[in-house]
Amino acid sequence: MNGPMNSLTGTRALARLALRLDRVRLTVWVLGLAVMPMATAANYFKLYPTEADLRAVSAVFTNPSLVALSGPLFDLSIGGLTAWKIGATEFVLVGLMSLLTVVRHTRAEEETGRLELIRATVVGRHAPLTAALLVTALANLAIAVLTALGLMATGLPTVGSVAFGLATGLVGILFAAVAAAVAQLTEGARTASGIASAVLGGTYLLRAVGDTGPAWLSWLSPTGWALHLRPYADERWWVAALFIGFAVLFTAAGYALAGRRDVGAGLLPERPGPATASPGLRSPLALAWRLHRGLLLGWTVALAVTGAVLGGAAAGFGDLQSPNQQLADVLSRMGGRTDLTDAFLAAIFGITGMVAAAYTVQATLRLRQEESSGRVEALLATGIGRLRWAASHLVFALLGTALLLAVAGVAGGLVYGAQVHDVGGQVGRLLEAALVQVPAAWVLAGFGTALIGLAPRLSALAWGALILSVLLFELGALFGLSQWVLDVTPFAHVPKLPGSAFTVTPMLWLTLIAVALGAAGLAGLRRRDMPVA
């Protein structure tokens, strides 16, 4: 040691370790998030080659339903259209990357016990948190720079490109700071990620409501701030101060809270249970329910709100008449070849299906979390078989997904039906549109189970499959990708309801694929060594 030890001693070494551990994961995030805006801009140059083409469809981009999804269009130009189309998605994804990275290198390291071993060396109290924030900030800086350079390379104005890159990086840094504070509250990484993700999702919904209703609500949302920085439309650089101020505030809170708790503990300690378990906890299924119920309840509320907001947004879509055949084709590919309202409803419930699939993946990977933490060893030592233990968790991943989508469908049907004065008819239609997404989400559960059983160290790739599905759904139709590329995601095979004809064949195939993947994973889990760190 070159000097006296302080609270930041060891930060550089921990940052290098985090970069090494995340070298593949962060590279994929950075390149993917940097390429999306550039590819969107390049495609819009082809889709709307002249200003007349843009003016011909200007009414489309100001439709309240699309504003709820993507935000307001501040300038009718290729740059403004690019920021409008990809901005909200880009900001949510960069926020997700940032909060997951911070939680993984702070709370998750504490939960597994690795941080306690590291802290036994010459490492200061605040070094792990500082290293996590530095690595995340570096990733966001790379995204911001590459995004701006990529947009400029397509021919978009330099100032607007820098503004969009800056907005993207600032959103990521802010949610890294939010995660730094939240990670101090709970004892579990899963809970910390869930709380931070709920904050992220709440900001998106708050922005959606504000952009179509009381405008001041958008100014309560960081994703709203990013849009209101207004890339390519008389940029408001002062909005960056909001991000910087709140990032400093949450970071300071994270450091202050970290100094008030023990390593491995949270400021909100888990309530101690009784000395002996009740009869209701004397089975793997009962224990799994205890572990999953908080997550399931939180997701149920989130999907109810999501369904209601998106269902309400659909009401204004019936007035949309697009004279641009290419745009109509995009909507048709996303939501079926019927009228635009049904196409929009099918598209938003496709999005809802992928939102629910995030719970599916999270609940499935609980198996891996229980194994890596060492808790499964004590459970299996009681004579409970591996398959019985795994099935107790997977039942919540599968049935919980169906519950979430049913709630979203009913909520969307109630709100949309009330606006079109047909509650009874619309609840059934949108419930069906939501439930057809279930087998596609189950495929991700099967994929996650296969990874846990056959290649446990790669189990995080289940999140990669979900992210790929989101990107193909969001950009595949816009880019005119071949159908065989879109078919990579299970959600491409879901019947596009409402409006299109319901066909049971793809549902059966998706279910069979999910069963086959799950069976392969369970077979591998039964045979391999446990636990695998």
Side-chain angles (χ1 to χ4, degrees), residues 49-334:
T50 67
E51 290 187 9
D53 293 320
L54 280 173
R55 288 195 298 271
V57 294
S58 59
V60 172
F61 308 121
T62 57
N63 182 269
S65 300
L66 293 180
V67 170
L69 286 180
S70 301
L73 177 66
F74 292 110
D75 184 64
L76 190 61
S77 64
I78 297 298
L81 192 56
T82 299
W84 171 81
K85 171 59 181 158
I86 200 63
T89 301
E90 181 90 352
F91 301 147
V92 170
L93 289 177
V94 76
L96 183 64
M97 178 210 72
S98 297
L99 67 89
L100 290 177
T101 301
V102 171
V103 171
R104 182 167 55 252
H105 291 294
T106 55
R107 176 53 63 182
E109 291 294 292
E110 291 187 53
E111 188 177 13
T112 59
R114 288 189 292 265
L115 188 59
E116 189 172 6
L117 294 176
I118 292 174
R119 289 284 302 274
T121 63
V122 185
V123 173
R125 183 174 187 85
H126 292 145
L129 178 58
T130 305
L133 289 172
L134 285 175
V135 168
T136 309
L138 182 61
N140 280 290
L141 177 62
I143 291 170
V145 172
L146 292 176
T147 296
L149 292 176
L151 290 171
M152 285 186 281
T154 66
L156 290 179
T158 299
V159 174
S161 300
V162 171
F164 188 87
L166 177 65
T168 303
L170 288 174
V171 171
I173 289 173
L174 176 56
F175 279 100
V178 170
V182 169
Q184 315 308 319
L185 301 179
T186 69
E187 294 186 8
R190 182 175 59 89
T191 305
S193 297
I195 294 173
S197 298
V199 173
L200 175 61
T203 65
Y204 177 87
L205 293 175
L206 193 63
R207 192 275 314 155
V209 174
D211 286 340
T212 55
W216 59 270
L217 288 176
S218 294
W219 289 99
L220 300 180
S221 165
T223 52
W225 302 345
L227 293 174
H228 284 278
L229 201 149
R230 298 180 63 156
Y232 307 104
D234 297 325
E235 292 78 8
R236 295 174 173 175
W237 300 105
W238 60 266
V239 175
L242 294 174
F243 287 101
I244 296 171
F246 278 92
V248 170
L249 179 64
F250 280 109
T251 300
Y255 280 108
L257 296 175
R260 288 174 169 80
R261 66 176 182 84
D262 295 329
V263 175
L267 292 176
L268 302 175
E270 296 184 5
R271 184 178 60 184
T276 58
S278 64
L281 275 179
R282 293 176 183 173
S283 72
L285 185 62
L287 177 60
W289 162 246
R290 185 71 172 266
L291 295 173
H292 285 270
R293 64 184 182 183
L295 180 69
L296 183 59
L297 177 60
W299 273 100
T300 301
V301 174
L303 264 293
V305 175
T306 300
V309 170
L310 294 179
F317 213 79
D319 299 330
L320 179 61
Q321 297 295 329
S322 172
N324 184 283
Q325 186 58 42
Q326 290 174 298
L327 181 62
D329 289 343
V330 168
L331 287 171
S332 295
R333 292 183 70 184
M334 292 176 65

